[in-house]
């Protein structure tokens, strides 16, 4: 690894540790969890295997809500190469609209979202969705606020995590995504 990449890896690793992100030994693939889709039906994580998946807990009334534009742009840029961006709206931080219909309308009208999105989903605490409970137990990661990002590799392993302030189109995130896409 050359110096710049090594330094970036150390910085990313330090940031991940600060977030309570993946511990050593958290290399097992995520089980095939299902999420209820905001469009009806089910979203299965196994359907996205083979390419990286960026799972983001979102909220419509948060200071980071404008990141929806960046998430859609990231999805548009890399989806043909195999990236999936999965938005997981959650009211855990009391900044989400009251219903799935309101969230869907807001995201479509305000941001033109067409990326996969779940129904309103708890992401922390005893009611957390099984995916997030698994992340906490296995990888030592639990969202600390809205727009925390979990990057899964093509085999479904936790590759990295990013905090709320990490912009979806930042080099920090796009470098990790392109590395995963180039490795497939």
């Amino acid at each position: 690894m050359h110096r710049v990449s090594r330094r970036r890896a150390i910085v990313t690793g330090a940031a991940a540790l600060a977030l309570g992100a993946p511990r050593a030994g958290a290399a097992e693939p995520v089980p095939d969890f299902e999420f209820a889709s905001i469009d009806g039906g089910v979203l299965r994580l196994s359907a996205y295997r083979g390419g990286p998946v960026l799972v983001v807990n979102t909220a419509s009334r948060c200071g980071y809500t404008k990141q929806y534009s960046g998430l859609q742009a990231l999805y548009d840029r890399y989806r043909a190469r195999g990236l999936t961006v999965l938005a997981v709206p959650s009211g855990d931080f009391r900044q989400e609209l009251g219903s799935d219909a309101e969230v869907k309308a807001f995201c479509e009208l305000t941001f033109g979202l067409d990326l996969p999105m779940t129904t309103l989903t708890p992401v922390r605490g005893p009611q957390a969705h099984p995916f997030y409970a698994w992340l906490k137990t296995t990888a030592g990661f639990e969202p600390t606020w809205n727009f925390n990002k979990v990057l899964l590799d093509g085999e479904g392993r936790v590759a990295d995590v990013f905090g709320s302030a990490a912009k979806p189109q930042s080099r920090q995130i796009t470098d990790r995504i392109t590395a995963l896409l180039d490795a497939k």
Side-chain angles (χ1 to χ4, degrees):
M1 186 182 279
H2 64 24
R3 289 178 195 247
V4 173
S5 294
R6 181 176 164 83
R7 191 175 118 228
R8 189 172 314 139
I10 291 168
V11 170
T12 301
L17 289 173
L19 286 170
R23 299 188 284 252
E28 67 182 74
V30 175
D32 186 20
F33 292 116
E34 294 181 351
F35 289 88
S37 171
I38 205 161
D39 295 318
V42 173
L43 300 168
R44 295 181 67 100
L45 286 180
S46 64
Y48 307 122
R49 291 266 164 94
V53 180
L54 186 67
V55 183
V56 185
N57 64 297
T58 62
S60 302
R61 294 180 174 161
C62 177
Y64 293 110
T65 299
K66 60 188 169 210
Q67 285 189 18
Y68 270 131
S69 293
L71 292 171
Q72 183 64 49
L74 190 68
Y75 184 55
D76 291 342
R77 180 177 176 187
Y78 294 110
R79 83 168 99 184
R81 292 186 59 197
L83 173 70
T84 300
V85 176
L86 178 61
V88 183
S90 178
D92 284 358
F93 302 104
R94 297 186 177 112
Q95 294 190 318
E96 187 52 273
L97 298 169
S99 72
D100 294 335
E102 289 174 296
V103 172
K104 181 177 169 69
F106 171 79
C107 289
E108 287 176 352
L109 295 172
T110 309
F111 298 101
L113 291 191
D114 71 349
L115 52 85
M117 182 177 274
T118 72
T119 57
L120 289 166
T121 304
V123 298
R124 50 182 294 120
Q127 300 302 314
H129 183 279
F131 169 76
Y132 284 97
W134 180 89
L135 278 174
K136 182 177 180 184
T137 300
T138 306
F141 175 77
E142 180 177 53
T144 56
W145 194 243
N146 302 308
F147 289 88
N148 280 204
K149 300 150 192 81
V150 178
L151 181 62
L152 305 176
D153 70 11
E155 295 178 22
R157 294 182 303 243
V158 177
D160 216 333
V161 296
F162 307 94
S164 302
K167 294 179 180 174
Q169 294 178 285
S170 68
R171 268 193 85 165
Q172 174 187 16
I173 293 176
T174 60
D175 283 356
R176 290 293 288 137
I177 289 170
T178 56
L180 292 173
L181 290 170
D182 291 345
K184 41 179 248 188

